[in-house]
Amino acid sequence: MEEMTEAEDTLVRSLALLVSLGKVLLQKAKDEAAESLESFLPYKITTMFGLITGGTTLFKNIGVTKKSEAEELWKKSYHREEVREQVDALFELEIEWDSFLEHVDQGLLASNEQVLPQRTTESLSSDTALIDARSGKNLGAKQALLEARSVQVLVVSFSVLEGAHIWLEQTGCKFPMLLDQKRNLYRSFGLVSSYSKVMKFGCLLTYSEYGAVDRGFPEMPSRLLEDLYQMGGDFLIDETGKVILHHPCKTPLDRPSVEDILKAADSTS
């Protein structure tokens, strides 16, 4: 049998390192949750974010900057028993990781009622895109297209005023922002806090791409860090108050494209 190349050997060792780290983080989380779920949430669970650092190490070791590129590499070498063993172990860890977080979420989901509104406040007098803060920067590049279709964008955040100002400054977002600190809008659109969606295994590995290119996350003073697990969404409301695009995010990275928003807007004209 042909011996593994140096690159394949590096891939095997790097995958084994990530699997080992992931297992340690998951077991620690399980043990702490078993002792007291109340003390485990919402602070002790943050140790699971350590998977991001592990993913960054993997990407750098094998010479890639994206999760998709890493997947392509191990697909090409999956015929190797050593590679296949580590890839399968990674998939098994992902299933166990996500299953644990879904279990943690059960208590949260029970206290939140999912409601799809048919009408909203009459002050939204034209096609208005309600988006949470994490979408604002991405839509900014297409602002002219949205304005040409008479789509007004309103960014919604549950942050305090100081935190909102810092975020707007760091991202360069030019859209008007509404502060919904009591999260009335979030709840009316069925947007809940979710550990399983924010800390999903694949999602954390995608965040590892930041470190792979030495790009930092937006900085925010610790006193202003609020609910990291609040999910967002994108919604388009017509001039009558009817919701014509309803997109609650499945992960923090799940966003409709500008084209999807414009298509929904055109459907009412």
Side-chain angles (χ1 to χ4, degrees), residues 122-129 150-152 236-241:
E122 295 301 326
S123 63
L124 300 174
S125 57
S126 61
D127 281 0
T128 303
S150 298
V151 176
Q152 300 179 14
L236 187 63
I237 304 164
D238 70 10
E239 59 186 6
T240 69

Side-chain angles (χ1 to χ4, degrees), residues 230-245:
Q230 172 64 57
M231 296 303 296
D234 297 71
F235 310 92
L236 187 63
I237 304 164
D238 70 10
E239 59 186 6
T240 69
K242 180 180 179 181
V243 178
I244 56 178
L245 174 66

Side-chain angles (χ1 to χ4, degrees), residues 21 41 48 55 84 92 102 111 150 185 201 227 258 269:
L21 172 64
L41 304 175
M48 297 183 76
R84 185 167 60 253
E92 290 173 4
E102 288 172 4
S111 62
S150 298
L185 272 175
F201 193 90
D227 188 355
V258 173
S269 59

Side-chain angles (χ1 to χ4, degrees), residues 61-232:
N61 284 346
I62 63 179
V64 302
T65 59
K66 293 183 179 297
K67 176 173 175 282
S68 58
E69 294 171 349
E71 292 170 343
E72 284 301 315
L73 272 184
W74 67 57
K75 283 179 182 178
K76 291 178 181 178
S77 299
Y78 191 72
H79 62 284
R80 300 283 194 188
E81 182 179 356
E82 296 89 340
V83 174
R84 185 167 60 253
E85 180 179 337
Q86 294 305 324
V87 172
D88 289 350
L90 186 67
F91 289 157
E92 290 173 4
L93 174 62
E94 178 175 8
I95 292 171
E96 188 177 359
W97 182 285
D98 291 348
S99 177
F100 167 71
L101 290 172
E102 288 172 4
H103 174 72
V104 169
D105 256 0
Q106 288 178 359
L108 280 178
L109 295 177
S111 62
N112 289 280
E113 182 179 2
Q114 301 280 348
V115 179
L116 176 61
Q118 294 303 312
R119 297 184 63 82
T120 61
T121 172
E122 295 301 326
S123 63
L124 300 174
S125 57
S126 61
D127 281 0
T128 303
L130 288 178
I131 61 175
D132 75 288
R134 282 167 287 196
S135 290
K137 183 179 179 181
N138 295 332
L139 283 183
K142 301 291 183 68
Q143 185 171 359
L145 279 175
L146 293 164
E147 291 177 346
R149 306 287 184 87
S150 298
V151 176
Q152 300 179 14
V153 177
L154 178 62
V155 180
V156 180
S157 173
F158 59 86
S159 178
V160 296
L161 184 60
E162 182 184 357
H165 281 161
I166 292 175
W167 184 88
L168 289 170
E169 181 180 348
Q170 289 188 353
T171 62
C173 178
K174 303 300 182 183
F175 295 120
M177 175 180 281
L178 170 68
L179 295 186
D180 179 27
Q181 294 180 25
K182 293 184 178 180
R183 306 192 212 186
N184 293 327
L185 272 175
Y186 282 82
R187 296 299 177 247
S188 67
F189 280 89
L191 300 177
V192 299
S193 292
S194 172
Y195 294 96
S196 64
K197 292 179 180 178
V198 171
M199 305 183 78
K200 192 176 180 67
F201 193 90
C203 186
L204 294 188
L205 286 188
T206 299
Y207 279 130
S208 298
E209 297 174 1
Y210 281 72
V213 294
D214 297 320
R215 174 186 173 191
F217 292 96
E219 296 182 1
M220 185 70 69
S222 58
R223 71 180 185 280
L224 298 178
L225 287 176
E226 303 190 47
D227 188 355
L228 298 175
Y229 313 101
Q230 172 64 57
M231 296 303 296

